[in-house]
Every structure is written in structure tokens, then in C-alpha cells.
Amino acid sequence: PQRPYGIGKLAQERLLASAAAATPGLSAHIYRPATVYGFQAGGRMGLIPVLILNGLSGRTSTIIGRADTIRDYVAAEDVARFLGDRVQQLAPAAPAPFLLASGRPAPLGEIVAETESLLGTRLYLRYDPRPSNSANMSFRPSAIPAELKPVDIRSGIRRVAEAVRSHAFRPQHG
């Protein structure tokens, strides 16, 4: 880890592993999600739903990164399905953490282009001139659990767009 968030997460993992080793019957299950995206009404809005919502309403989106910043995007639904399957199977603890990612990195510019294509409109963007989070992050497909079946980014963005549209433009009762 190179940032305080990652350092804190690694410390948490070590505490959990120590507790599991010292406690009979306790097993540690460690999952490391990459850049998870999706839409949940009232939830935290990440890059993709913000681009979609702002694109639909003609507002400007601020990008904290560069167009060539690479991330490994994985759909929240895919992560949830993987975790749900592990819980239902009562899967034993793994000796190493599970990396939850797609194994196919994409630059921010590709995410913007896919979103514009799906919405059929140009997005208004403002790139932070001093991005605080512009380091690349990508993973080899071989590092991803075989049971995780990530959807391709275009299909994932389409799902998010459908969810945002149905929530943002539904009739309000009140």
C-alpha cells in the first residue's frame, strides 16, 4: 500500500488473521475489491453513476485523475454474487486474500467514451489540475478468482445507466 487507506486496510487484515489464528473456530476471509462501481439509491456515488447522472442532466463532472489513469473496474453486482456464493457454500477461509477485480484495466478516458456512447451525448468534464488519486491500478486476469465472472465494462455501464435513469426520472409521490 502507498496511501493511508491501503495501509489501514492491511493493518485490519493482519489483525483479523492474528485473531483467527488465536481463536479456535474462527476463520478469516479477506477480500480486496478493486474499483467497484454500481448504483444504489441513496448510496455513495462513484465515477460511473456521477458521469451518467450529470450527462443526463447536462451538468459538469469533475474528474480527480487523468484521462489516461488506469483502473480495474468491477461491477458491484458481480462482487455481491461472488460473495453470496462463498457464504452459501460455507467456503473455508483461503490462505491468501481474494482479489475482486475484472482483470481488464480501463483508462478513465475509455469510461468517459463508453458513457457518452451509451447516453448518446457528450459529457461536460472538468479535470482536476492536481489530481490526488491518479496512480494506475491494474491486475492480471490470473490473479482474479475463477469463480468471479465479471461483466464487461460496457455492459456494466449500461446496467448502471438503466438503474440511474429509473431512479432519477421516476415520478415522485408526496
Side-chain angles (χ1 to χ4, degrees):
Q2 298 177 357
R3 299 178 57 136
Y5 177 83
I7 293 166
K9 287 296 180 185
L10 187 57
Q12 288 175 339
E13 289 178 9
R14 288 179 177 153
L15 283 171
L16 176 63
S18 293
T23 309
L26 179 66
S27 62
H29 297 258
I30 298 173
Y31 302 93
R32 291 182 180 161
T35 305
V36 179
Y37 68 94
F39 176 75
Q40 176 66 45
R44 181 181 172 272
M45 296 271 283
L47 173 70
I48 292 172
V50 165
L51 289 175
I52 293 165
L53 190 59
N54 288 344
L56 291 170
S57 59
R59 292 191 305 254
T60 301
S61 298
T62 300
I63 308 290
I64 311 220
R66 297 181 320 266
D68 63 347
T69 297
I70 293 172
R71 292 281 187 271
D72 190 312
Y73 296 89
V74 62
E77 293 172 4
D78 297 335
V79 170
R81 186 172 23 270
F82 176 81
L83 293 175
D85 289 348
R86 298 254 325 146
V87 168
Q88 287 181 338
Q89 297 166 5
L90 298 174
F98 283 100
L99 176 60
L100 305 180
S102 69
R104 190 210 167 266
L108 286 173
E110 180 181 332
I111 301 305
V112 168
E114 288 289 355
T115 304
E116 287 177 336
S117 174
L118 285 168
L119 296 180
T121 188
R122 295 280 299 166
L123 300 178
Y124 298 110
L125 305 173
R126 183 182 83 73
Y127 284 88
D128 185 328
R130 289 195 248 350
S132 60
N133 190 12
S134 61
N136 292 328
M137 182 177 48
S138 64
F139 306 98
R140 290 186 176 101
S142 61
I144 313 304
E147 303 83 13
L148 177 63
K149 304 292 185 203
V151 66
D152 65 276
I153 193 69
R154 182 172 183 79
S155 298
I157 293 172
R158 182 180 298 114
R159 276 197 239 162
V160 174
E162 289 168 1
V164 169
R165 279 186 175 122
S166 67
H167 176 75
F169 300 106
R170 72 172 185 228
Q172 298 295 315
H173 302 294

